[in-house]
């Protein structure tokens, strides 16, 4: 669990003015660990153990004088040596040499150390703890947590380590008890602010180290209960009751028994953190509302009604107002204007999202929830994968806060239900082209076109009164020709305002042309289309081309670099064109360097491309250039992470070089930021017949399939490419797409689907003579067989994969197959050859001569498993920890979690159950929502095995029962092992 544990230098750097040694250098001391002294940055010799005992006794007196007899008792107790007094004087003399006479002073037959109050780490820790208590009393939980963490971070192992004597032993016990009290208080604060899932791992380790400490057991029960693990929480109580009875002959304290009853009753209050949200050091206050238009006009009754409802949202369960109307009628403009006026009533922030409801692919609620949770300060690692879990966390995050949510352009009620707040104080404004009649409790607003007076007023505000007053009748003709639609009026007025030589009559005459007005702007989408036609007709040729071609891309938005590639232009030229389109309101700037269409404008742009493009094949060329850009750039990201990977040599050639990155971190930033557009491009390219490059793009972006947050979209894209390739009879493209489907199915624990796709991929790869599918598919088949304990099949598949990789001179692939073969040998009790095979794989990775951090991490993962199986647990922990660091830095969430699981196995094999339980808990947290139920059940099994030696048998049984349910549902052979754990056979 990542925490602000304070500075790594265990002795604080703070100094009081005027407190210096004779030579002007600061003296600092530490007792919260080994007893040490520093002058400036230089460590000073502290002498023999007895000399350190003397220094300890003086430091812990806070400047008070200790007599010689008191020091003798502190160092030797009741059995001092005959020359004890002389020894004390000798130790003091030696200490004075590296301190100074002003620091170590002789006083009334004794000694004292006089230093600044912050020269001792213990004093600093005490002051920090006092400040933390004040912050907590004042309601600032986050500040209190930070201060407690800083205080705890001053410890460097056991206090007064290796210092002899009865005085040091008593102080050591006192300081350890205080440290535990601080930890309990900090953990209590963790639970109060909702960090219960993160706290489980630390509490599991602490209860193992201090089994009779009931407060830790109580905190663990609450943390488990709030994490949805009610059975384990109750099992902790059962373990505690049995342990106290066996060890002390007492029952649990009343507070613990009352907590058990609340859990049995599924107490909803207990399931929630404290009512008041803890103020963050830097509060996350989203302010996502788009800018309101300065010339907002009319709609007075709507503004008043909606504003009143939002102003009284605090007293209602949930205030929801849904605005409906045709495209261009001004729903978003009205909603944004009202939202800005109501901001004062929502001091905790405002959220906004365009749900793209009128487009072909409306935004998925789980994707929107992920973005909202990030905006509200939730870490990526804490965001669950499923829609229901995200919605629940979202509502919990909003609880107690006053936030306004603007859900723009919704498709239907089903899309927005998960996005609605659930508690008083929050409110939602919804806009949609359809009436939300099935949205329970919503205030429905039907927005019609403007009245003629409002329409003329809006037109006048944009164009200017001087020009309108002289041509009022012509102005009325213009707004009437626009159908009184605000969007149409705004576009027409903007065109006129930008052309000072035009009169209003000229514009009216243009709109009188039926060919330009498309049936006189009378109905539905035709009215909107006509307004777009007006703006499009005024574009310069280069702008019009950019408008048409950009609309072809399926992604929700597009970056400047991708747009430049699609348009076949230099970036600065493309930027000028895109900014010109933004100025005409035909394109929106979603963020610096990113652009998007209103969904209806996109549809219009595509119709223009079909109608006006002089060379029809230019549309296909534009999409091909976009695909080349994504493929070349994604391949570059792949190569940075996996240098020398042979699969890239088998990709289709691209005409676009793509972007280049200086660091793997920058490359991964691009990949994850572009995920939606990239995967949309793969789907669209497959539909357009560009199958092989689409399949290659999926392979280059394989990290998205492992990330958890993008795995669903990745699976959809791979399925679309596979189906399109099957229909077209492209066996190579289908084989590669199915290889990617195998990968994501396997990671998600869908082994039956994975095996079906892998067998088909292998068949297709061999038929196509494709070295990629014909090598990767048997490797994946071997992994699936290994998971299903079909070791003979697994060895045969890996042997086939090895031959295919070697035939292709694919060293990385060969190394992967060797590492996988190592796991077969381990499973079949060939432990030393398992270690050897994994080491051979690592040697192959290293033989390339280039940095292979990610691939080496995969090899070390396999070697760690082999070392664990061979009983070499120290080596296992070392290589697994090295792999863990790489996976974490590379954002490989799946492998990060799995490596924590393997570390738990290594710790368990090394008889370190407390450490194993903590690692298993962390693995469960990291893999939450990814990896599938089968892997979660395996981790629960190991967690149960780790808890049993700690005396937490009831909780272990709860873990095993949950694991057994999963294994039985999946028909997995591991169910037999778990049954044996639950019902061990007694040999008589």
């Amino acid at each position: 669990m990542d925490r602000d544990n304070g500075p790594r230098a265990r002795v604080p750097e703070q100094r009081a003015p005027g407190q210096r040694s004779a030579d002007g250098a600061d003296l600092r001391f530490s007792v919260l660990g080994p007893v040490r002294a520093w002058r400036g940055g230089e460590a000073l010799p502290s002498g023999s153990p007895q000399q350190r005992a003397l220094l300890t006794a003086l430091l812990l007196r806070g400047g008070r004088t200790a007599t010689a007899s008191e020091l003798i008792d502190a160092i030797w107790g009741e059995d001092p040596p005959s020359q004890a007094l002389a020894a004390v004087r000798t130790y003091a003399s030696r200490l004075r040499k590296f301190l100074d006479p002003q620091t170590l002073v002789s006083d009334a037959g004794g000694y004292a150390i006089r230093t600044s109050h912050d020269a001792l780490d213990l004093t600093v820790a005490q002051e920090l703890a006092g400040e933390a208590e004040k912050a907590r009393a004042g309601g600032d939980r986050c500040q209190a947590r930070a201060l407690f963490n800083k205080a705890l971070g001053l410890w460097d192992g056991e206090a007064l380590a290796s210092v002899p004597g009865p005085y040091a032993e008593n102080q050591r016990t006192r300081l350890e008890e205080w440290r535990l009290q601080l930890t309990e208080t900090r953990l209590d604060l963790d639970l109060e602010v909702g960090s219960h899932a993160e706290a489980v791992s630390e509490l599991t380790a602490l209860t193992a180290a201090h089994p009779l400490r009931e407060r830790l057991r109580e905190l663990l029960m609450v943390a488990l209960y709030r994490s949805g693990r009610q059975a384990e929480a109750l099992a902790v109580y059962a373990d505690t009751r049995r342990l106290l009875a066996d060890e002390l002959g007492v029952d649990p304290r009343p507070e613990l028994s009352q907590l058990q009853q609340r859990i049995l009753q599924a107490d909803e209050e207990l399931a929630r953190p404290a009512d008041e949200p803890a103020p963050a050091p830097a509060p996350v206050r989203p302010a996502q509302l788009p800018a309101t238009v300065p010339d907002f006009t009319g709609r007075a009754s709507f503004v008043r009604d909606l504003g009143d409802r939002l102003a009284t949202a605090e007293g209602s369960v949930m205030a929801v107002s849904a605005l409906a109307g045709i495209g261009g009628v001004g729903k978003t403009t009205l909603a944004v204007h009202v939202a800005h006026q109501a901001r004062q009533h929502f001091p905790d922030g405002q959220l906004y999202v365009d749900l793209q409801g009128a487009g072909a692919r409306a935004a998925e609620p789980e994707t929107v929830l992920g973005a909202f949770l990030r905006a509200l300060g939730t870490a990526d690692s804490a965001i669950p994968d499923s829609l229901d879990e995200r919605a629940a966390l979202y509502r919990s995050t909003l609880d107690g806060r006053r936030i306004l949510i603007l859900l723009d352009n919704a498709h239907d009620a089903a899309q927005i239900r998960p996005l609605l707040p659930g508690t008083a104080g929050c409110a939602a404004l919804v806009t949609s082209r359809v009436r939300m009649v099935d949205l329970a409790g919503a205030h429905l607003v039907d927005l019609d076109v403007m009245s003629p007076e409002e329409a003329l007023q809006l037109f006048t505000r944009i164009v200017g009164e001087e020009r309108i007053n002289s041509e009022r009748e012509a102005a009325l003709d213009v707004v009437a020709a626009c159908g009184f639609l605000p969007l149409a009026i705004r576009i027409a007025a903007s065109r006129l305002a930008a052309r000072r030589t035009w009169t209003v009559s000229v514009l009216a005459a243009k709109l009188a042309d039926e060919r330009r007005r498309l049936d006189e702007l009378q109905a539905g989408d035709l009215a909107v289309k006509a307004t777009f036609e007006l703006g499009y007709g005024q574009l310069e040729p280069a702008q019009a081309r950019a408008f048409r071609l950009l609309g072809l891309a399926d992604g929700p938005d597009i970056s400047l670099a991708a747009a430049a590639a699609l348009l076949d232009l230099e970036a600065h030229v493309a930027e000028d064109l895109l900014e010109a389109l933004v100025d005409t309101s035909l394109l929106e700037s979603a963020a610096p360097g990113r652009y998007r269409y209103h969904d209806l404008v996109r549809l219009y742009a595509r119709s223009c491309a079909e109608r006006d493009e002089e060379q029809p094949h230019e549309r296909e060329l534009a999409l091909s250039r976009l695909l080349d850009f994504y493929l070349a750039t994604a391949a570059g990201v792949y190569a940075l992470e996996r240098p020398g990977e042979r699969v890239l040599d088998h990709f289709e050639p691209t005409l676009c070089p793509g972007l280049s990155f200086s660091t793997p971190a920058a490359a991964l930033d691009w990949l994850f930021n572009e995920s939606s557009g990239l995967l949309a491009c793969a789907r669209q390219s497959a539909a357009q017949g560009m199958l092989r490059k689409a399949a290659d793009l999926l392979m280059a972006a394989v990290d998205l399939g492992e990330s958890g947050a993008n795995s669903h979209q990745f699976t959809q894209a791979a399925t679309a490419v596979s189906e399109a390739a099957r229909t077209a009879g492209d066996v190579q493209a289908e084989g590669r797409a199915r290889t990617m489907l195998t990968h994501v199915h396997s990671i998600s624990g869908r082994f039956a689907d994975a095996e079906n796709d892998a067998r088909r991929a292998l068949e297709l790869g061999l038929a196509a003579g494709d070295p990629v599918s014909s090598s990767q598919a048997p490797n994946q088949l071997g992994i699936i067989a290994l998971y299903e304990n079909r070791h003979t099949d697994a060895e045969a598949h890996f042997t086939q994969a090895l031959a295919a990789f070697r035939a292709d001179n694919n060293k990385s692939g060969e190394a992967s197959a060797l590492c996988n073969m190592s796991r077969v040998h381990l499973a079949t009790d060939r432990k030393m050859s398992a270690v050897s095979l994994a080491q051979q794989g690592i040697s192959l990775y290293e033989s390339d001569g280039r940095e292979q951090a990610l691939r080496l991490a995969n090899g070390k993962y396999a070697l760690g498993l082999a070392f664990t199986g061979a009983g070499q647990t120290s080596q296992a922990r070392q290589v697994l920890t090295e792999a863990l660091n790489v996976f974490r830095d590379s954002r490989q969430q799946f492998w990060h979690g799995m490596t924590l699981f393997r570390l738990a196995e290594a710790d368990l094999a090394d008889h370190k159950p407390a450490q194993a339980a903590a690692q298993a808990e962390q693995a469960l947290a990291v893999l939450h929502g990814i990896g599938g139920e089968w892997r979660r059940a395996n981790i629960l099994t190991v967690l149960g095995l780790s808890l049993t030696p700690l005396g937490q048998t009831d909780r272990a049984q709860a873990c095993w029962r949950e694991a057994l349910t999963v294994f039985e549902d999946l028909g997995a052979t591991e169910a037999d092992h778990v049954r044996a754990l639950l019902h061990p056979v007694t040999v008589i």
Side-chain angles (χ1 to χ4, degrees):
M1 179 163 48
D2 293 334
R3 296 191 183 281
D4 177 11
N5 286 325
R8 293 300 299 171
R10 296 300 180 178
V11 181
E13 295 292 342
Q14 303 99 320
R15 297 160 179 71
Q19 297 292 336
R20 292 183 175 272
S21 59
D23 61 1
D26 293 328
L27 279 170
R28 296 173 290 127
F29 302 91
S30 73
V31 293
L32 300 178
V35 175
R36 292 173 291 190
W38 289 266
R39 178 179 287 113
E42 178 186 359
L44 302 177
S46 55
S48 66
Q50 286 74 22
Q51 186 171 308
R52 291 198 301 276
L54 174 66
L55 179 59
T56 297
L58 294 175
L59 285 172
L60 294 183
R61 285 180 174 268
R64 300 187 306 276
T65 300
T67 66
S69 62
E70 288 173 333
L71 292 173
I72 291 171
D73 287 342
I75 300 171
W76 291 286
E78 297 179 356
D79 189 23
S82 59
Q83 300 298 317
L85 180 59
V88 166
R89 290 172 177 168
T90 299
Y91 297 149
S93 175
R94 290 173 182 171
L95 286 172
R96 188 177 283 118
K97 288 180 181 179
F98 71 79
L99 300 177
D100 55 66
Q102 290 75 30
T103 300
L104 178 55
V105 298
S106 299
D107 183 22
Y111 300 94
I113 287 183
R114 307 281 166 77
T115 66
S116 62
H117 73 283
D118 59 354
L120 181 65
D121 59 354
L122 174 59
T123 307
V124 175
Q126 290 168 334
E127 292 179 352
L128 287 168
E131 292 174 15
E133 292 291 358
K134 291 178 183 178
R136 187 183 191 188
D140 193 347
R141 294 188 183 88
C142 283
Q143 176 67 4
R145 287 175 75 206
L147 290 168
F148 277 124
N149 272 324
K150 195 171 182 181
L152 288 165
L154 294 175
W155 262 267
D156 188 14
E158 182 184 46
L160 310 178
S162 302
V163 176
Y167 179 79
E169 183 60 34
N170 291 336
Q171 293 299 316
R172 196 159 32 239
T173 302
R174 178 181 69 85
L175 290 173
E176 177 59 22
E177 173 61 26
W178 185 52
R179 180 184 188 181
L180 279 172
Q181 290 172 0
L182 292 180
T183 302
E184 287 174 344
T185 305
R186 202 280 331 286
L187 284 164
D188 199 17
L189 284 166
D190 287 349
L191 300 186
E192 288 184 17
V193 300
S195 296
H196 38 268
E198 297 90 338
V200 170
S201 175
E202 185 176 0
L203 282 164
T204 297
L206 285 169
T207 53
H210 307 280
L212 296 175
R213 202 171 183 93
E214 291 182 72
R215 178 57 179 154
L216 289 174
R217 299 275 183 151
E218 182 179 340
L219 292 169
L220 178 57
M221 288 172 67
V222 174
L224 287 167
Y225 180 63
R226 290 183 181 169
S227 300
R229 299 161 69 175
Q230 181 181 14
E232 285 186 65
L234 293 170
V236 170
Y237 177 81
D239 286 330
T240 306
R241 183 177 58 185
R242 185 184 59 257
L243 179 68
L244 292 173
D246 292 346
E247 297 289 331
L248 304 177
V250 298
D251 291 327
R253 62 182 186 168
E255 293 87 348
L256 206 61
S257 300
Q258 292 165 8
L259 177 60
Q260 182 218 20
Q261 290 302 311
R262 294 182 69 185
I263 294 174
L264 283 170
Q265 295 162 8
D267 190 324
E268 293 185 3
E269 289 298 319
L270 180 62
R272 289 195 297 269
D275 290 336
E276 311 82 32
V284 179
R285 182 180 175 274
Q288 297 183 341
L289 294 178
T292 187
V293 292
D295 47 29
F296 181 84
T297 302
R299 312 295 200 190
S301 62
F302 292 114
V303 172
R304 184 170 53 254
D305 177 42
L306 292 169
D308 289 343
R309 289 179 179 275
L310 293 178
T312 58
E314 186 174 8
S316 60
V317 174
M318 176 177 61
V320 180
S321 296
L323 288 67
I326 64 170
V329 79
K331 303 180 295 294
T332 298
T333 301
L334 173 60
V336 170
H337 180 76
V338 170
H340 274 284
Q341 287 197 333
R343 287 183 64 183
Q344 61 180 324
H345 301 296
F346 300 92
D348 295 319
Q350 306 84 40
L351 296 169
Y352 171 85
V353 65
D354 178 3
L355 293 170
Q356 306 169 45
R361 302 187 68 85
E364 295 181 349
E366 53 262 50
T367 303
V368 176
L369 285 169
F372 278 178
L373 286 167
R374 292 184 190 95
L376 292 166
T378 306
D380 278 351
S381 60
I383 297 176
D385 190 53
S386 73
L387 172 60
D388 290 343
E389 289 176 313
R390 287 189 179 190
L393 178 58
Y394 169 68
R395 291 190 296 271
S396 298
T397 305
L398 291 180
D399 188 27
R401 304 175 73 175
R402 302 215 60 205
I403 289 181
L404 174 63
I405 301 98
L406 204 170
L407 304 173
D408 192 18
N409 194 10
H411 179 69
D412 54 22
Q415 184 189 27
I416 67 167
R417 285 193 188 98
L419 310 179
L420 297 177
T423 55
C426 292
L429 274 175
V430 183
T431 73
S432 177
R433 295 176 69 190
V434 299
R435 294 189 82 236
M436 297 287 178
V437 293
D438 52 346
L439 191 61
H443 170 59
L444 302 182
V445 177
D446 290 322
L447 199 59
D448 202 349
V449 296
M450 283 181 151
S451 68
E453 294 77 17
E454 288 178 336
L456 182 61
Q457 186 180 7
L458 174 60
F459 188 76
T460 302
R461 285 189 173 182
I462 298 172
V463 175
E465 288 187 6
E466 182 179 350
R467 297 175 73 181
I468 300 305
N469 288 341
S470 60
E471 296 185 274
R472 184 176 177 83
E473 291 301 319
L476 286 170
D477 290 341
V478 169
V479 296
C482 290
F484 306 113
L485 280 165
L487 181 58
I489 295 167
R490 182 172 297 281
I491 293 175
S494 297
R495 292 297 96 204
L496 184 60
R499 287 159 177 77
R500 303 301 299 177
T501 59
W502 281 16
T503 64
V504 181
S505 298
V506 169
L507 178 59
K510 288 179 176 292
L511 292 177
D513 184 348
E514 291 185 359
R515 293 170 301 174
R516 299 186 65 84
R517 277 200 296 127
L518 296 178
D519 296 329
E520 300 183 7
L521 312 173
Q522 287 182 358
D525 290 346
L526 291 178
V528 178
K529 186 174 182 181
T531 61
F532 299 152
E533 181 73 24
L534 178 64
Y536 175 67
Q538 304 305 317
L539 296 177
E540 300 295 333
Q543 295 172 352
R545 173 181 178 270
F547 175 74
R548 293 191 301 269
L549 295 182
L550 280 176
L552 298 173
D554 269 353
D557 63 0
I558 192 167
S559 67
L560 175 59
L566 182 146
L567 297 172
D568 196 19
L569 296 172
E570 295 290 333
H572 69 278
V573 178
E575 185 175 23
D576 289 343
L577 291 175
L578 270 56
E579 289 298 328
L581 292 176
V582 171
D583 291 340
T584 65
S585 301
L586 290 174
L587 193 66
E588 299 175 15
S589 180
R594 300 199 73 84
Y595 301 89
R596 68 185 178 201
Y597 283 103
H598 182 286
D599 47 12
L600 295 176
V601 179
R602 184 197 300 273
L603 294 175
Y604 174 72
R606 290 182 174 180
S607 70
C608 290
E610 295 172 0
R611 180 191 68 191
D612 297 343
E613 202 61 58
E614 294 180 1
Q615 300 177 352
H617 71 280
E618 175 62 14
R619 299 195 297 273
E620 288 74 24
L621 289 175
L623 290 175
S624 178
R625 289 191 295 268
L626 180 62
L627 175 59
D628 275 8
F629 166 79
Y630 279 131
L631 176 55
T633 308
V637 175
Y638 189 97
L640 260 181
E641 285 199 287
R642 305 165 178 86
E645 176 60 66
R646 184 85 171 90
V647 69
L648 297 177
D649 298 334
H650 299 299
F651 280 3
E652 293 290 306
T654 60
L655 299 178
C656 173
L659 300 176
S660 58
F661 305 98
S662 58
T663 64
L668 287 172
D669 284 341
W670 177 88
L671 182 65
F672 285 96
N673 288 337
E674 292 289 330
S675 60
S676 294
L678 184 150
L679 294 173
C681 180
R683 289 193 302 266
Q684 186 177 17
S685 299
Q688 297 288 332
M690 294 177 282
L691 294 162
R692 295 197 173 185
K693 287 185 179 179
D696 291 347
L697 178 57
L698 292 173
M699 289 197 145
V702 65
D703 285 341
L704 298 179
E706 298 181 359
S707 68
N710 300 286
S711 58
H712 179 62
Q713 288 177 287
F714 189 93
T715 303
Q716 288 182 322
T719 301
V721 175
S722 173
E723 290 300 314
R726 182 183 60 80
T727 301
D730 190 328
V731 292
Q732 176 178 305
E734 185 185 355
R736 294 189 182 186
R738 286 187 179 273
T739 299
M740 290 297 94
L741 279 173
T742 300
H743 187 63
V744 292
H745 286 326
S746 179
I747 282 182
S748 299
R750 300 186 294 268
F751 299 131
D753 292 337
E755 183 168 8
N756 290 335
D757 280 316
R759 292 192 181 280
R760 180 60 178 157
L762 178 57
E763 178 185 337
L764 293 165
L766 294 173
D770 179 21
V772 177
S773 298
S774 58
S775 56
Q776 290 194 10
N779 202 31
Q780 292 168 332
L781 281 167
I783 293 170
I784 297 163
L786 184 65
Y787 287 152
E788 295 179 342
N789 297 311
R790 295 182 285 110
H791 302 129
T792 302
D793 291 344
E795 188 159 2
H797 290 311
F798 290 140
T799 300
Q800 183 180 4
L802 269 172
F805 284 130
R806 286 167 176 163
D808 189 37
N809 195 29
N810 187 337
K811 299 295 184 183
S812 292
E814 181 183 351
S816 171
L818 285 170
C819 289
N820 289 332
M821 185 73 83
S822 163
R823 296 177 63 179
V824 177
H825 282 230
L826 182 63
T828 52
D829 207 30
R830 291 173 283 175
K831 297 175 182 177
M832 297 317 297
S833 61
V835 172
S836 176
L837 285 167
Q839 290 171 333
Q840 289 177 47
I842 290 175
S843 296
L844 273 175
Y845 284 135
E846 293 174 334
S847 67
D848 182 76
R850 285 174 281 191
E851 179 61 36
Q852 287 270 13
L854 187 56
R855 288 303 198 196
L856 273 174
N858 289 127
K860 289 176 179 179
Y861 177 89
L863 181 58
L865 265 66
F867 276 145
T868 299
Q872 301 175 41
T873 52
S874 176
Q875 296 94 319
R877 280 198 301 274
Q878 178 181 340
V879 294
L880 286 171
T881 301
E882 292 170 359
L884 179 70
N885 294 332
V886 173
F887 291 139
R888 185 188 294 116
D889 293 343
S890 300
R891 305 181 206 179
Q892 299 284 330
Q893 185 179 353
F894 171 78
W895 289 108
H896 175 191
M898 288 303 297
T899 307
L900 286 168
F901 169 50
R902 300 308 184 183
L903 279 165
E905 291 183 318
D907 287 330
L908 186 61
D910 201 23
H911 309 293
K912 297 180 177 179
Q915 195 166 312
Q919 301 278 23
E921 285 287 0
Q922 290 183 52
L924 286 171
V926 172
L927 289 175
H928 184 63
I930 63 173
E933 287 294 282
W934 179 80
R935 290 185 177 89
R936 187 174 71 88
N938 275 291
I939 299 172
L940 285 169
T941 303
V942 169
L943 177 57
L945 289 168
S946 305
L947 294 170
T948 301
L950 303 175
Q952 301 183 33
T953 54
D954 283 272
R955 186 180 166 200
Q957 294 267 325
C959 292
W960 290 335
R961 283 192 294 270
E962 188 174 353
L964 180 61
T965 299
V966 172
F967 287 140
E968 288 180 338
D969 288 345
L970 296 174
T973 58
E974 288 83 359
D976 293 337
H977 173 56
V978 179
R979 286 192 199 95
L981 292 173
L982 286 165
H983 308 289
V985 177
T986 303
V987 179
I988 300 177

